[in-house]
Amino acid sequence: MPPAVISIAHLRKTYGATIAVDDVSLEVREGEIFGLIGPNGAGKTTTMECAQGSRAADGGVISVLGLDPQRDADALRQRIGVQHQEAHLQKRIKVWEAVDLWASLYKHTVDGDALLARLGLEGKRDTRFMNLSGGQKQRLFIALALIHEPTLVFLDELTTGLDPQARRAIWELVTDIRRRGATVFLTTHLMEEAERLCDRVAIIEHGRLIALGTPAELVRANCPVVRVVFTSESDGVAERMRRLPTAQAVVSQGSTHTISGEGDDFVTDVIHCIAGDGFRVSGFRTEIPTLEDVFLKLTGHGLRD
Ligand SMILES: Nc1ncnc2c1ncn2[C@@H]1O[C@H](COP(=O)(O)OP(=O)(O)OP(=O)(O)O)[C@@H](O)[C@H]1O
Ligand SMILES: [Mg+2]
């Protein structure tokens, strides 16, 4: 197992009477994309900022790249890249000026123009910040977070407010950061984003960690039932499905049949059965649970309720 680059043990943070983070423990391992997911106000940004050293915890122990984020803040700053949830730049600053300014803050930096090209901003060098689109601003913030070639990158709500196309482009950039050897710690309240992008996720709600694992592990552990839905006029198809050892339930509405079951072989078993018995089928789909379903199962409510 790769070593932990972030290790958080029993983190606690309060703001007056608000308990923002309550006994959170997790490890982010070298080379992974780790996502902290949860609804608004869950404590994601607070947890991330404590790990970056920009907020002091009230309790618990944090180690990042072997450093104490509070005590070793200056050393840590040279090695981590940070994109903030509510980042702003002076509106008239030009893209190349922002890159130069950021580069001046670090001892070791990469070539700014090459970095802009990598993020698809080569044509925007002379554009003012206020004239960039939302997706271009986000890409600029990623560029600024990468200017000093950090080994660990923090991305807080990177794609909030972007359209699906811009979001996908950003996902590719994040995957590229990892491909180049860096570790990514991100937050999102988009379960689909977490599912597509993250090797492992931690689900946080009301400051408490409620689940941790790979998206597939969390789905398998909490929502193992898969449904196959198809339409068939053939006689006896529902009875035949009921005899499948991996099928748990068969519900038929007219000629539409919904078969529920568990296990790695279930969907294949249904397909074999349909093909083997020569049933004529029109329309066939599977309903595989997602992290959204896991969240619903664990909390009793949807992410945006
Ligand atoms: N500076 C602050 N002062 C007082 N309360 C704060 C402060 N920052 C955050 N909080 C509170 O702490 C809790 C956790 O906030 P946090 O910003 O960590 O949540 P989040 O999961 O990042 O939410 P979002 O998805 O909206 O970004 C919330 O109840 C919030 O109101
Ligand atoms: Mg936040």
Side-chain angles (χ1 to χ4, degrees), residues 44-46 85 156-157 187:
K44 303 181 296 295
T45 297
T46 303
Q85 181 171 3
D156 194 3
E157 300 278 345
T187 75

Side-chain angles (χ1 to χ4, degrees), residues 279-293:
F279 292 121
R280 196 156 178 281
V281 166
S282 63
F284 181 99
R285 68 172 198 274
T286 53
E287 292 178 355
I288 314 278
T290 63
L291 276 182
E292 198 95 39
D293 299 306

Side-chain angles (χ1 to χ4, degrees), residues 250-263:
V250 178
V251 176
S252 300
Q253 267 193 318
S255 57
T256 299
H257 308 282
T258 302
I259 330 295
S260 310
E262 276 183 44

Side-chain angles (χ1 to χ4, degrees), residues 204-230:
I204 181 170
E205 196 197 33
H206 300 313
R208 298 195 72 100
L209 210 85
I210 55 174
L212 195 154
T214 69
E217 277 167 5
L218 296 186
V219 170
R220 214 177 305 127
N222 295 287
C223 304
V225 176
V226 169
R227 284 202 295 258
V228 174
V229 183
F230 63 84

